Amino acid sequence: MSVAVIIVAAGRGTRAGDGAPKQWRLLNGQAVLLHTVAAFAGVGRILVVLHPEDMARGMALLGGTVTLVAGGADRAASVRAALDCLEGSDVTRVLIHDGARPLVPAGVIQAVLAALEEGPAAAPALAVTDALWTGADGLVSGTRDRSGLYRAQTPQGFHFPAILAAHRAHPGGAADDVEVARAAGLPVRIVPGHEDNLKITWPEDFARAGAIARERTKMDIRTGNGYDVHAFTEGDHVVLCGVKVPHERGLLGHSDADVGMHALTDAIYGALAEGDIGRHFPPSDPQWKGAASWIFLDHAVKLAQAKGYRISNCDVTLVCEQPKIGPHALDMGGELARIMGLAADRVSVKATTSERLGFTGREEGIAALATVTLIAE
Ligand code: MG
């Protein structure tokens, strides 16, 4: 079974207030669309349908992580464009989701996929629990029986060939893909939706969605590790964790070769799933040649803060026979703490030898390991 996810975000909806269309506006510091895409990580191949004018913006936000598709004149045409892209692929199941539903729980997605094992179409919905009235001129003009009524959500899931054929046969004007499927005679199974799976429509929806997103990240504690090695070369000192230590040799490297600070910086990037130093400061870029490594560490710390995390603590271990680290360890911890804006007792620098074994034992270079813990604020 191969799953494709079509996220429809081609709308220009302005009901959510002034400013950019809602899919581009920020929810807890991150574009709504980025939250939506993240909700489907690991589910399958993701296609995001955008307004043709938004393609460059989509590329900047999502890069090569998804397939971007230019949308059509209306929602159905946009879905069609994405379905057409999948023709001839190995995709057997397709989930079609509103870009403005950024908080769809994993359980809802899995329930739709599970229901597709039993039939060609399934979609989440919530039974209507409020009383239903009709009204006119500010007065209640009647009541309606709510039994059997549902509030439809997405993702709406389908067997791929069936929904492709249904869309191609449909005359247009459908409210959603379930309507298209039903017009083609497909039975659509209802699976339980979720109140968190709200569609951002009005300005106040941002506040509600923000509160849900914050609640989810409350216990978000992340750990990252980093490892780095630099070889000895000619020189008269090494720089370790920001401290210049006299030594009869130097360390070889593109920057100042601060192996300890590099391991720590990579640990922070690791905790954020943001790659490593090389991704943010390419060694091929001459402007970083001989750069002081605090620039890298400072960038990683600020990136963590921008993503809503604070650094709880870090622990760096240097592995070398020489120079002796012990006399400098406190200074090194202090320097790292200063750069990261942390209390000294949250930063540990320690050292070990490798008992004269391996490349560190032969004094060919220095290795460093680092672990960091981040806590969502
Ligand atoms: Mg390095």
Side-chain angles (χ1 to χ4, degrees):
M1 185 185 80
S2 176
V3 178
V5 181
I6 296 173
I7 295 174
V8 187
R12 291 254 148 230
T14 50
R15 280 179 296 180
D18 295 337
K22 57 198 176 183
Q23 61 270 32
W24 302 108
R25 290 175 54 189
L26 298 184
L27 180 64
N28 289 3
Q30 213 173 48
V32 166
L33 186 55
L34 214 49
H35 285 273
T36 311
V37 168
F40 287 91
V43 173
R45 174 180 171 190
I46 298 177
L47 295 85
V48 178
V49 190
L50 299 176
H51 191 280
E53 289 173 9
D54 287 345
M55 297 300 277
R57 192 174 195 171
M59 203 56 207
L61 182 74
L62 299 164
T65 58
V66 303
T67 303
L68 298 180
V69 179
D74 58 15
R75 188 184 185 286
S78 291
V79 172
R80 264 282 301 277
L83 290 171
D84 286 343
C85 284
L86 294 170
E87 196 174 23
S89 71
D90 65 344
V91 165
T92 56
R93 307 276 191 270
V94 61
L95 301 179
I96 304 173
H97 187 69
D98 294 328
R101 293 186 191 269
L103 300 173
V104 54
V108 170
I109 297 169
Q110 292 310 320
V112 173
L113 285 173
L116 291 180
E117 296 302 303
E118 312 295 326
L126 290 170
V128 171
T129 53
D130 294 329
L132 291 179
W133 303 334
T134 55
D137 301 326
L139 295 173
V140 176
S141 58
T143 58
R144 288 284 183 273
D145 181 6
R146 69 183 171 225
S147 60
L149 291 182
Y150 288 86
R151 290 187 285 139
Q153 298 187 336
T154 68
Q156 300 179 350
F158 309 93
H159 290 184
F160 173 60
I163 194 65
L164 179 65
H167 262 276
R168 286 181 173 170
H170 198 271
D176 64 7
D177 303 289
V178 162
E179 189 175 332
V180 172
R182 293 193 69 250
L186 300 178
V188 182
R189 185 172 294 272
I190 300 172
V191 304
H194 198 289
E195 288 292 352
D196 286 358
N197 190 18
L198 76 162
K199 183 173 184 177
I200 293 179
T201 307
W202 306 104
E204 54 269 31
D205 294 334
F206 277 93
R208 202 176 133 216
I212 295 167
R214 273 193 300 281
E215 188 63 30
R216 284 190 191 171
T217 58
K218 250 186 185 167
M219 282 302 291
D220 187 0
I221 295 171
R222 292 174 168 228
T223 305
N225 72 73
Y227 175 72
D228 196 25
V229 172
H230 281 264
F232 280 123
T233 185
E234 285 172 16
D236 59 7
H237 72 276
V238 294
V239 178
L240 295 171
C241 299
V243 174
K244 186 173 171 179
V245 179
H247 189 49
E248 67 225 23
R249 315 196 68 190
L251 286 173
L252 186 65
H254 190 72
S255 63
D256 63 9
D258 189 336
V259 62
M261 210 178 286
H262 293 180
L264 175 57
T265 305
D266 274 351
I268 298 171
Y269 287 135
L272 297 169
E274 277 282 350
D276 58 16
I277 294 175
R279 177 158 134 196
H280 298 277
F281 300 91
S284 55
D285 188 337
Q287 69 171 306
W288 309 122
K289 186 162 175 56
S293 294
W294 68 264
I295 295 169
F296 310 151
L297 180 57
D298 181 63
H299 177 266
V301 169
K302 291 201 167 102
L303 186 61
Q305 289 165 349
K307 288 181 158 249
Y309 293 91
R310 69 183 163 83
I311 296 171
S312 175
N313 77 299
C314 65
D315 183 21
V316 179
T317 302
L318 299 167
V319 186
C320 59
E321 305 288 335
Q322 295 289 340
K324 290 298 171 203
I325 303 301
H328 306 283
L330 267 181
D331 285 350
M332 292 176 181
E335 183 61 7
L336 294 179
R338 187 187 65 76
I339 295 166
M340 292 191 289
L342 294 181
D345 70 348
R346 291 181 179 273
V347 181
S348 156
V349 176
K350 60 193 193 302
T352 184
T353 72
S354 52
E355 300 289 349
R356 300 231 147 253
L357 297 171
F359 70 88
T360 50
R362 294 189 296 271
E363 299 192 38
E364 294 167 5
I366 298 182
L369 304 91
T371 304
V372 66
T373 303
L374 307 185
I375 299 178
E377 301 209 272

